[in-house]
Amino acid sequence: MQIDILGNADTVTERDSSLLIQTAEAEARVWVYSPTIIRVCVTRNGKAPDESFAVIEKPLDNFTWQKLYDTVEIDTSALKLVIGLHPLRFSFFTADGKPLSEDDERFGINWQADRVVNYRKLYPDEKFLGLGEKAGDLNRRGCNYVNWNTDASLHTITTDPLYKTFPFFIGLHGGLSYGLFFDNTHRSFFDFGATTDEQMSWFGADGGDMNYYFFGAQGLRNIIEDYTWLTGRMEMPPLWSLGYQQCRWSYMSAQEVLDVARRFRERNIPADVMYCDIDYMDGYKIFTWNKETFPDPKGMIDELKAMNFKLVTIVDPGIKIDADYKQYKEGVDRGYFATYPNGELYVGSVWPGRCHFPDFLNEEVREWWGAAFTTLADPGVEGFWNDMNEPAAWGQNMPWMVKFGDKFMPEVRNVYGMQMSRGTYDGTKRILKGKRPFILTRAAYCGTQRYSAIWTGDNAATDEHMLFGQRLVNSLGLAGMSMIGVDIGGFMGNPTPELMVRWNSLGPYVPMFRNHAALGMSMREPWQWGDEYEAVIKKDIEQRYKLLPYIYSGFYQSTQTGLPLARTLAIDYTTDESVYDPFYQNQFLFGDSILVAPVASTFDSCDVYLPAGDWYRLSSDEKFNGNQSVTVPSPLTDLPVFVKAGGIVPMQSVIQSTNEPGDGILQIHIWNGDEPNAFVYYEDDGSTYAYQEGVYHKRTISFDPQKKEVSFSRVEGSHTSKYSKMRLVWHGFEGVDEVEMDNNNETLTINY
Ligand code: GLC
């Protein structure tokens, strides 16, 4: 194998708002995207740079640089990039010269055959977070990972790789933070000091360029904000998708779907969504309905609508080889499927049997795919679940010479699912004429937040998987993904009733609350567990509906800053060592004020770590001092959930679906504290894009304990709130009565 080193810089010039540095082997270019974001892209001579699927922003036209004796320096108000010229090395410092991340002096960037690798200095106290859907601890120091989107059915809590690729990590050392996004779609790998005797960390890919974005903002919130500025943020999800979702592989007939929906209403258990998994189709042909078991899709969906349910249907990429099938014929005629190099169509087997695979990287193919959703959307489907898009094919070993347009499989694989969800999103958005579609995808790459929600794939019905799932959600949040689900109850295997109850008690705090199970597994609806447990599950689902005003505002925050709804404690308590303790690492903040401690179903008491500040248990208002771990009861009826002192949590009374008007009262719950706090309350019509034209209702609710005052800013936006009244509900205040008032748009101050 040949090792090619980057070598010395021969020339340094400015070109097209970048700095161009030439070596004998390669060409390096540096762009400044903002004072805190610098991109470095090193390409081998003669190779065209890779395209990006993730990045949606452009670099700045101008930046400041100077050539010194043996280095070039780029200076922004926040960052200093020192480029060593002999040999070519890249090292990042804060503006005042503190090291953030430096190339390893000896090895820097090099090629090992087609592999491109960057070796970087490892600081003794350096921690690493991120990479999205990855096994292992919150702090990834000492671990290594591969990104290669995989149909990881039967995965364990240590399996790597899983379904998604997020080559973006955050480094922490010496009280400083940085982020690094390696925008390369080939199979990539990251080693956080696992096998280098603590000397180096390194990352690279099997092909493509050493193309990375360095984020020098201080603080995780700022890094996430910058990363999601660069790669985009989610749009407001349809409100219904935030309600309870009932799925199964599969409800086998329209009758069964309707029966289950009816049971929810009969038993007064709130729910918003029913799913059709693969068996609604005719022979697993995408965009068809099984005429026997789903004879009248529109009739079924109308009945669901009358019960205030939405329907989500699954689609897979594999197009069945069947001469009588529209999508097969069109795809073949128009050359839309992946091929071998000699032009023969690639064949892989999935649920329908032998299939071809659309080239979702091609815009024309995405448009064709997107337009085909009329067979689902016309009868009334508004949610589209994209599965098996790693892409999966039985055997899992799609040959590397399979071509998608002019690209080969290894370069395409990690973005295939993202491009499928993009086609689905664009197409269904067009078809739904102004209504927000709900898209859910299993495979993903950086930037997927612009198109789709995600879920963590085929987990198992164990406590271990429940806790692992939360770690995945927390880590995916660092990669700009906010709308995330896990299969509640566990996909494979049968949960004990206790596990089912416990998992449902975590459900209100999972950004997407979806119950799902595999073919042949026990039924999972809330009434399958006996009256006593049904009552507990019902209460948990009701809790979700009570919290929806808070949750919706939390998603608004994701659309504005990229901050996820479920946040590892590392985001706000970065320098607190306890949050990395494997014992506490599953804990997270849900929105600004709620702390959740997931607990195995077998423990009726547990240790919870409460970071600095005071905390109240949500269920009892019992007060705790933070900066310590506390042992608290955790019976199945009461998951340990806490609210930060000063926390402001808008809630509503229980409704049976998000389509119900409710009692028209917005409850503003406030927990007493010594520090002032503010919450941005956001509401819109929940279903269209009118909010993008100013039709929303937004105001800041402030709590000031010094002035003993709660105030509401003037409402911004032209949407009329669905709550005609507001009620202040006090927690931890002595002798203060609830206050009820009209919800008009004016400023308002309440003294207590
Ligand atoms: C895959 C999906 C799972 C789905 C099944 C059948 O295993 O991950 O959620 O139920 O396929 O479509």
Side-chain angles (χ1 to χ4, degrees):
M1 184 184 67
Q2 189 167 331
I3 306 278
D4 294 318
I5 56 169
L6 190 49
N8 294 327
D10 295 333
T11 57
V12 181
T13 47
E14 233 183 284
R15 183 184 301 169
D16 306 334
S17 56
S18 74
L19 206 61
L20 174 68
I21 306 163
Q22 196 65 57
T23 75
E25 196 64 39
E27 183 179 286
R29 288 181 78 175
V30 182
W31 294 262
V32 177
Y33 277 66
S34 81
T36 47
I37 308 174
I38 294 180
R39 174 184 175 197
V40 173
C41 181
V42 183
T43 12
R44 267 181 160 167
N45 283 337
K47 182 191 168 301
D50 300 337
E51 71 178 296
S52 179
F53 296 88
V55 171
I56 57 167
E57 288 295 338
K58 295 265 175 302
L60 300 175
D61 290 334
N62 298 304
F63 55 91
T64 314
W65 67 282
Q66 52 175 329
K67 189 161 183 310
L68 302 171
Y69 168 61
D70 205 25
T71 58
V72 165
E73 274 186 30
I74 294 182
D75 288 287
T76 73
S77 55
L79 274 178
K80 181 191 289 295
L81 167 59
V82 178
I83 305 173
L85 300 177
H86 303 100
L88 185 55
R89 297 284 180 261
F90 299 90
S91 296
F92 295 86
F93 300 84
T94 59
D96 59 357
K98 296 193 196 94
L100 286 171
S101 177
E102 301 157 87
D103 267 349
D104 180 85
E105 279 163 32
R106 299 157 300 172
F107 305 123
I109 293 168
N110 65 38
W111 287 268
Q112 301 148 18
D114 282 340
R115 268 189 165 199
V116 61
V117 186
N118 184 192
Y119 295 90
R120 302 186 83 83
K121 196 165 163 172
L122 184 65
Y123 303 96
D125 64 335
E126 195 166 15
K127 291 189 180 73
F128 297 90
L129 315 179
L131 293 191
E133 192 183 66
K134 288 292 174 201
D137 292 330
L138 170 60
N139 178 7
R140 307 203 176 282
R141 171 93 182 224
C143 298
N144 57 44
Y145 295 96
V146 171
N147 290 312
W148 183 246
N149 288 1
T150 299
D151 174 10
S153 66
L154 300 179
H155 66 261
T156 71
I157 68 161
T158 58
T159 301
D160 184 69
L162 295 169
Y163 305 88
K164 302 173 185 68
T165 291
F166 291 97
F168 169 57
F169 69 88
I170 292 169
L172 303 168
H173 64 91
L176 299 169
S177 57
Y178 69 88
L180 194 149
F181 168 35
F182 176 40
D183 190 9
N184 181 314
T185 68
H186 291 256
R187 181 157 72 176
S188 56
F189 32 87
F190 288 77
D191 185 308
F192 298 118
T195 43
T196 57
D197 191 29
E198 298 282 304
Q199 284 188 43
M200 298 178 282
S201 67
W202 49 287
F203 63 90
D206 281 349
D209 307 327
M210 179 45 64
N211 177 29
Y212 67 80
Y213 295 79
F214 187 86
F215 300 90
Q218 290 309 299
L220 268 59
R221 281 176 176 244
N222 294 327
I223 292 175
I224 295 169
E225 189 162 350
D226 274 357
Y227 166 77
T228 55
W229 170 79
L230 189 73
T231 62
R233 301 191 177 120
M234 70 182 289
E235 292 186 332
M236 283 308 293
L239 179 60
W240 59 263
S241 68
L242 306 182
Y244 176 83
Q245 310 189 355
Q246 184 65 50
C247 189
R248 169 167 197 87
W249 172 20
S250 298
Y251 293 120
M252 287 295 186
S253 65
Q255 211 42 59
E256 198 181 357
V257 172
L258 289 169
D259 282 347
V260 172
R262 225 168 271 132
R263 293 284 280 274
F264 276 97
R265 296 298 175 243
E266 280 162 15
R267 305 174 97 84
N268 280 320
I269 301 173
D272 264 80
V273 190
M274 288 297 301
Y275 274 72
C276 282
D277 203 330
I278 48 175
D279 297 286
Y280 77 90
M281 292 181 256
D282 169 21
Y284 303 130
K285 287 186 293 232
I286 313 305
F287 309 121
T288 66
W289 294 90
N290 182 313
K291 292 202 173 52
E292 263 117 65
T293 48
F294 291 83
D296 176 16
K298 180 162 187 313
M300 171 184 74
I301 297 167
D302 284 348
E303 275 193 61
L304 284 172
K305 279 187 186 157
M307 290 189 274
N308 283 334
F309 271 95
K310 298 281 184 186
L311 184 69
V312 177
T313 51
I314 197 170
V315 293
D316 292 344
I319 297 292
K320 186 179 173 70
I321 298 179
D322 175 339
D324 296 326
Y325 171 32
K326 182 168 185 272
Q327 271 69 34
Y328 165 78
K329 285 185 288 187
E330 287 179 359
V332 171
D333 289 349
R334 301 180 194 176
Y336 285 169
F337 297 136
T339 63
Y340 285 107
N342 64 359
E344 272 174 56
L345 293 181
Y346 167 70
V347 179
S349 287
V350 210
W351 304 123
R354 298 172 69 245
C355 287
H356 296 318
F357 294 82
D359 173 12
F360 291 116
L361 277 73
N362 178 336
E363 194 180 337
E364 196 182 318
V365 178
R366 284 199 303 272
E367 281 193 9
W368 163 77
W369 170 264
F373 280 90
T374 46
T375 55
L376 302 172
D378 285 352
V381 179
E382 289 178 38
F384 309 92
W385 173 18
N386 290 211
D387 190 22
M388 306 297 273
N389 50 3
E390 291 68 34
W394 306 150
Q396 303 300 350
N397 216 358
M398 191 176 282
W400 283 36
M401 65 177 165
V402 172
K403 285 186 84 180
F404 296 80
D406 56 3
K407 290 188 166 71
F408 287 95
M409 193 278 284
E411 192 179 349
V412 170
R413 187 168 188 86
N414 288 340
V415 286
Y416 188 80
M418 176 203 197
Q419 296 305 301
M420 176 186 178
S421 66
R422 178 183 179 184
T424 305
Y425 166 78
D426 287 340
T428 57
K429 186 172 176 179
R430 228 170 284 139
I431 295 171
L432 292 183
K433 296 198 181 67
K435 272 198 213 162
R436 303 173 202 167
F438 168 68
I439 317 294
L440 177 62
T441 179
R442 193 170 73 175
Y445 184 75
C446 299
T448 298
Q449 68 270 16
R450 305 195 296 264
Y451 313 118
S452 185
I454 53 173
W455 94 106
T456 60
D458 298 347
N459 61 1
T462 64
D463 276 298
E464 211 184 26
H465 267 268
M466 175 178 66
L467 301 176
F468 173 58
Q470 192 57 51
R471 275 204 297 290
L472 295 179
V473 170
N474 296 351
S475 176
L476 283 159
L478 292 170
M481 299 301 309
S482 187
M483 184 61 175
I484 314 170
V486 297
D487 287 355
I488 291 201
F491 180 75
M492 296 297 294
N494 294 323
T496 61
E498 290 72 26
L499 174 59
M500 197 62 205
V501 171
R502 179 67 99 207
W503 216 328
N504 273 295
S505 72
L506 191 54
Y509 310 101
V510 176
M512 188 188 96
F513 188 175
R514 187 181 77 142
N515 176 314
H516 184 42
L519 188 72
M521 302 302 140
S522 58
M523 300 307 283
R524 298 293 168 77
E525 300 78 17
W527 49 87
Q528 305 286 355
W529 313 94
D531 291 349
E532 201 184 316
Y533 283 156
E534 178 181 340
V536 183
I537 295 172
K538 176 171 146 95
K539 254 186 88 205
D540 290 325
I541 298 177
E542 287 175 349
Q543 172 71 356
R544 172 73 173 200
Y545 281 79
K546 289 185 195 168
L547 283 170
L548 280 176
Y550 174 75
I551 293 174
Y552 201 64
S553 300
F555 276 112
Y556 172 71
Q557 222 178 356
S558 303
T559 68
Q560 299 301 298
T561 65
L563 202 62
L565 192 63
R567 305 168 191 167
T568 159
L569 296 185
I571 292 180
D572 283 344
Y573 305 96
T574 314
T575 56
D576 183 339
E577 286 299 323
S578 298
V579 308
Y580 305 98
D581 183 331
F583 199 82
Y584 304 120
Q585 65 180 350
N586 305 328
Q587 291 181 204
F588 62 103
L589 281 189
F590 183 70
D592 290 340
S593 302
I594 295 178
L595 181 147
V596 183
V599 188
S601 62
T602 46
F603 289 101
D604 57 12
S605 89
C606 73
D607 281 351
V608 174
Y609 179 71
L610 297 174
D614 292 333
W615 299 85
Y616 293 85
R617 188 148 184 175
L618 179 63
S619 57
S620 64
D621 282 346
E622 187 185 351
K623 192 173 173 188
F624 296 86
N625 296 122
N627 221 347
Q628 60 166 340
S629 71
V630 293
T631 306
V632 296
S634 60
L636 291 178
T637 47
D638 192 7
L639 187 75
V641 177
F642 298 81
V643 185
K644 211 192 280 183
I648 301 168
V649 180
M651 296 195 210
Q652 64 183 6
S653 304
V654 175
I655 42 177
Q656 295 303 306
S657 112
T658 59
N659 205 32
E660 281 187 359
D663 63 8
I665 302 172
L666 182 65
Q667 306 162 12
I668 316 288
H669 291 252
I670 302 186
W671 280 261
N672 204 356
D674 302 330
E675 302 290 328
N677 190 23
F679 182 86
V680 176
Y681 174 74
Y682 177 87
E683 192 189 323
D684 60 25
D685 66 20
S687 69
T688 76
Y689 290 91
Y691 74 95
Q692 293 176 346
E693 263 72 63
V695 190
Y696 55 80
H697 167 105
K698 184 174 102 169
R699 66 176 6 166
T700 303
I701 306 170
S702 308
F703 165 61
D704 186 335
Q706 269 72 48
K707 292 192 193 151
K708 293 189 153 235
E709 171 177 299
V710 175
S711 57
F712 295 79
S713 71
R714 222 191 114 74
V715 165
E716 288 170 44
S718 60
H719 175 75
T720 307
S721 172
K722 65 182 163 205
Y723 307 100
S724 59
K725 293 207 174 322
M726 295 195 289
R727 182 185 298 152
L728 280 180
V729 187
W730 313 92
H731 301 264
F733 295 80
E734 292 292 317
V736 184
D737 292 332
E738 287 188 0
V739 181
E740 200 163 292
M741 58 216 140
D742 286 341
N743 184 12
N744 61 35
N745 288 353
E746 301 310 317
T747 54
L748 192 70
T749 304
I750 309 289
N751 289 96
Y752 59 88

